[in-house]
């Protein structure tokens, strides 16, 4: 997979071209904004013999294969939101995909919206956006690609992370926009390291809660302006009851599970099908 390269520098603004029928992806590329206000990169192309739903379903498959998260898809309305996931200290950012019907064609547009303070080179952004846009096809090839892309999701390996780091990450994101979290984490697997707070019977299995303070008052160092810390719990997979019942408060654990649910008011995220990892 290839993402935008995040850079520690300011790139020069590009001239804004007008979009014309037959213009290439590179010709229509536009950069707006600044690292202080938030950079915007966009490009578009007209693809003949293509409907908006077919364009969106194709883009789902294209984006998923490159490791992007599918946040919202409204194929019939020609709209989709994808997101480059968090990578190290780089925050996730959205790419809006729109497909507008024309006579015997569709205009497909991609717009990346970087948060303020994030840097990215225009050349790298152009190459990445155009690599996705130019993969969209018209005609029968496009219909076949849309069929393959329907329901596609990223198949990235589990993310290995410390429970307290994950807690602060989720808390920071919830403070910004809690509504997007379920879509952002849906289908993702994590290997979470930490210590046991408690083990409790829950819905026919055992739930292991990680030892995480309730507020940032107990932390020496925190990220962001939030106060409440997200609690992390793992619902164990079948066959893991014996393991769960051997644990005591304070034991070191490393569990792998898939995102299940998030409650922004209780400040809790649950993972499902959890198993111990080496």
């Amino acid at each position: 997979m290839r993402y935008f390269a995040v850079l520690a520098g300011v790139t020069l603004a590009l001239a804004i071209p007008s979009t014309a029928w037959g213009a290439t992806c590179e010709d229509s590329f536009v950069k707006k904004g600044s690292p202080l206000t938030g950079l915007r990169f966009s490009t578009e192309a007209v693809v003949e013999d293509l409907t908006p739903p077919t364009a969106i379903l194709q883009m789902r498959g294209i984006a998923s294969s490159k490791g992007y998260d599918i946040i919202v898809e409204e194929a019939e309305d020609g709209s989709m939101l994808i997101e480059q996931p968090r990578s190290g200290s780089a925050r996730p950012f959205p790419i809006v995909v729109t497909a507008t019907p024309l006579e015997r064609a569709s205009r497909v547009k991609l717009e990346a919206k970087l948060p303020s303070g994030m840097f990215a080179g225009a050349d790298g952004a152009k190459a990445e956006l155009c690599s996705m846009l130019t993969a969209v096809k018209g005609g029968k090839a496009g219909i076949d690609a849309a069929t393959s892309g329907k329901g596609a999701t990223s198949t990235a390996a589990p993310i290995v992370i410390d429970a307290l780091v994950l807690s602060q990450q989720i808390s920071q994101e919830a403070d910004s926009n809690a509504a997007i979290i379920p879509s952002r984490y849906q289908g993702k697997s994590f290997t979470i390291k930490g210590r046991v707070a408690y083990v409790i019977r829950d819905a026919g299995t055992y739930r292991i809660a990680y030892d995480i303070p309730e507020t940032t008052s107990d932390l020496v160092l925190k990220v962001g302006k939030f106060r409440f810390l997200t609690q992390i719990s793992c619902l164990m997979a079948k066959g893991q009851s014996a393991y769960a019942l051997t644990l005591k408060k304070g034991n070191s654990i490393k569990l792998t599970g898939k995102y299940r649910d998030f409650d922004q008011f209780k400040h809790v995220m649950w993972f499902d099908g959890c198993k111990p990892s080496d």
Side-chain angles (χ1 to χ4, degrees):
M1 67 185 70
R2 181 180 64 188
Y3 294 142
F4 288 6
V6 178
L7 307 173
V10 180
T11 52
L12 298 177
L14 302 178
I16 301 177
S18 59
T19 302
W21 190 286
T24 66
C25 177
E26 289 77 9
D27 291 338
S28 64
F29 180 81
V30 175
K31 174 193 169 187
K32 295 180 181 179
S34 72
L36 294 178
T37 61
L39 289 166
R40 299 289 184 269
F41 300 108
S42 66
T43 189
E44 58 185 66
V46 173
V47 182
E48 296 184 8
D49 195 14
L50 178 71
T51 65
T54 301
I56 295 300
L57 292 176
Q58 284 189 66
M59 188 57 69
R60 181 184 185 106
I62 294 164
S64 296
S65 69
K66 294 172 72 66
Y68 288 89
D69 295 329
I70 310 300
I71 305 299
V72 174
E73 175 204 295
E74 296 175 319
E76 292 301 319
D77 298 308
S79 177
M80 184 167 67
L81 176 63
I82 64 177
E83 191 173 75
Q84 176 168 306
R86 179 183 293 269
S87 178
S89 61
R91 290 169 286 170
F93 65 85
I95 300 175
V96 178
V97 184
T98 54
T100 306
L102 302 172
E103 186 176 358
R104 298 187 298 277
S106 287
R107 176 179 282 111
V108 185
K109 180 178 180 180
L110 276 65
E111 183 179 14
K113 301 181 178 182
L114 276 64
S116 59
M118 183 177 285
F119 302 82
D123 289 343
K126 181 194 295 184
E128 179 66 358
L129 291 178
C130 287
S131 72
M132 292 192 283
L133 185 54
T134 56
V136 177
K137 306 176 180 67
K140 185 179 183 302
I143 294 173
D144 291 342
T147 300
S148 298
K150 187 175 183 179
T153 57
S154 175
T155 56
I159 300 166
V160 181
I161 192 168
D162 180 83
L164 184 56
V165 173
L166 177 61
S167 170
Q168 294 195 77
Q169 175 181 307
I170 301 302
S171 300
Q172 182 183 27
E173 293 175 9
D175 191 57
S176 175
N177 181 6
I180 200 173
I181 287 179
S183 297
R184 177 176 287 158
Y185 287 88
Q186 186 65 42
K188 288 190 176 182
S189 295
F190 285 78
T191 297
I192 307 169
K193 300 178 289 183
R195 293 190 179 279
V196 175
Y198 60 84
V199 180
I200 191 171
R201 186 75 174 170
D202 189 342
T205 184
Y206 287 92
R207 174 163 54 88
I208 299 174
Y210 284 83
D211 187 8
I212 296 171
E214 290 187 0
T215 71
T216 55
S217 300
D218 297 319
L219 297 180
V220 176
L221 179 66
K222 73 180 182 74
V223 180
K225 300 177 182 179
F226 56 88
R227 181 184 173 213
F228 292 101
L229 285 164
T230 301
Q231 302 301 302
I232 308 295
S233 280
C234 249
L235 287 160
M236 301 305 291
K238 291 183 177 181
Q240 298 301 320
S241 295
Y243 168 80
L245 290 173
T246 64
L247 295 175
K248 298 179 180 179
K249 182 177 180 179
N251 283 168
S252 178
I253 52 174
K254 184 179 180 182
L255 306 175
T256 297
K258 182 176 286 188
Y259 168 84
R260 174 171 176 161
D261 201 4
F262 171 71
D263 190 316
Q264 69 183 90
F265 302 106
K266 293 181 179 179
H267 309 287
V268 182
M269 179 173 279
W270 292 272
F271 292 84
D272 210 357
C274 296
K275 296 181 179 180
S277 300
D278 295 333

